[in-house]
Amino acid sequence: SGGGRVMVGDILSVSRLRMGTDGRGISTLVVFFDCPLYCKYCINDFCHKSKTVFETVPHAAFSLQELIDVLKKDDIYYLMSGGGVVFGGGEPLLQSKYIHKVCTMADQRWAKRIETSLNVPWDNIKPVLYDMDEWIIDIKDINNDIYKSYTKTDNKNMIENLLKLRNKVSKDKIHIRIPRIPGYNTAYDIEKSVQWVRDNIGVEPEVFSYIKTINR
């Protein structure tokens, strides 16, 4: 075969045998490095690339075949339970070309899901547009002031992408999550976001809590 660079994913962790946390069935969560958002209560804040390399955070460069070999270990569980592979992060869509290749090499019977903020250029979404069985989208809040104060980023791009996605993939593939963010959005704000999703995307969103307890 000819030369050329081997495609690798910049991966933080691969978490096997997850159940009931990322859609139906037993799944393997592939957590990618880097994210365009800087959320106050980020659970994977160390996913951000830093100028100083964190010694404590190993970056794992998985070739496509290496990742497929890890995923294959739990093939029987995926097929038995309706699970599969979940791409998360960070923001997995920053590495969507790699993810597309993984999806083409994966067993077509595995469920393929992605957990995303959708706040990336549309060109980052295009490669995996038709690969995913489910888009799990955390939209934070539809109010830009709340979104911006929480993520340090604008939500205009996310909303545009969401409306585009709604026109490209069937609604049953879109799962929208709206977090209760203590100190940022009230019950009233959440209700407005829920209503916006119903009216504009035509799906029933899931409201959830980021933080069960806040240490005072």
Side-chain angles (χ1 to χ4, degrees):
S1 67
R5 210 165 50 81
V6 173
M7 201 177 209
V8 293
D10 191 7
I11 289 170
L12 180 63
S13 65
V14 176
S15 172
R16 292 170 56 200
L17 304 176
R18 287 168 67 90
M19 208 172 158
T21 43
D22 317 278
R24 203 176 128 228
I26 296 170
S27 297
T28 300
L29 176 67
V30 182
V31 180
F32 287 85
F33 255 102
D34 218 4
C35 185
L37 307 183
Y38 290 85
C39 300
K40 173 87 163 90
Y41 300 123
C42 180
I43 51 163
N44 284 338
D45 194 33
F46 40 81
C47 79
H48 288 107
K49 291 187 170 152
S50 162
K51 294 207 168 29
T52 61
V53 176
F54 289 115
E55 295 303 320
T56 54
V57 182
H59 286 227
F62 280 80
S63 72
L64 292 160
Q65 193 55 54
E66 283 167 341
L67 184 58
I68 291 290
D69 289 344
V70 173
L71 296 175
K72 275 183 177 162
K73 289 179 182 174
D74 302 311
D75 172 74
I76 188 164
Y77 295 115
Y78 309 150
L79 299 184
M80 197 177 70
S81 68
V85 56
V86 181
F87 304 100
E91 177 48 76
L93 288 171
L94 296 177
Q95 299 183 56
S96 57
K97 288 193 170 89
Y98 174 87
I99 290 172
H100 171 64
K101 287 273 195 333
V102 173
C103 289
T104 57
M105 292 170 71
D107 189 312
Q108 292 313 296
R109 295 170 298 172
W110 302 349
K112 290 176 274 307
R113 305 184 179 114
I114 193 159
E115 294 177 347
T116 173
S117 71
L118 223 58
N119 206 335
V120 294
W122 181 254
D123 278 353
N124 282 76
I125 297 172
K126 278 201 295 208
V128 293
L129 202 48
Y130 304 112
D131 293 329
M132 296 302 153
D133 298 300
E134 190 175 12
W135 293 77
I136 302 168
I137 305 160
D138 180 347
I139 65 166
K140 319 297 179 193
D141 201 280
I142 222 69
N143 176 320
N144 194 36
D145 293 335
I146 295 171
Y147 190 100
K148 209 165 180 172
S149 73
Y150 181 63
T151 66
K152 316 231 187 319
T153 321
D154 216 289
N155 75 359
K156 185 173 164 292
N157 176 47
M158 177 274 286
I159 289 173
E160 277 176 18
N161 286 340
L162 192 52
L163 294 170
K164 261 190 189 169
L165 188 70
R166 172 204 68 183
N167 294 335
K168 304 265 185 198
V169 307
S170 65
K171 281 194 302 201
D172 59 358
K173 291 186 173 182
I174 298 177
H175 181 100
I176 295 178
R177 307 184 80 215
I178 300 169
R180 297 184 187 91
I181 318 171
Y184 287 88
N185 61 2
T186 63
Y188 171 77
D189 298 317
I190 292 164
E191 194 42 53
K192 283 185 84 163
S193 293
V194 166
Q195 204 48 59
W196 186 92
V197 170
R198 285 178 186 145
D199 294 345
N200 292 279
I201 313 301
V203 300
E204 189 57 33
E206 173 198 353
V207 177
F208 72 106
S209 295
Y210 271 145
I211 315 167
K212 295 284 179 276
T213 56
I214 299 177
N215 299 325
R216 298 240 175 261

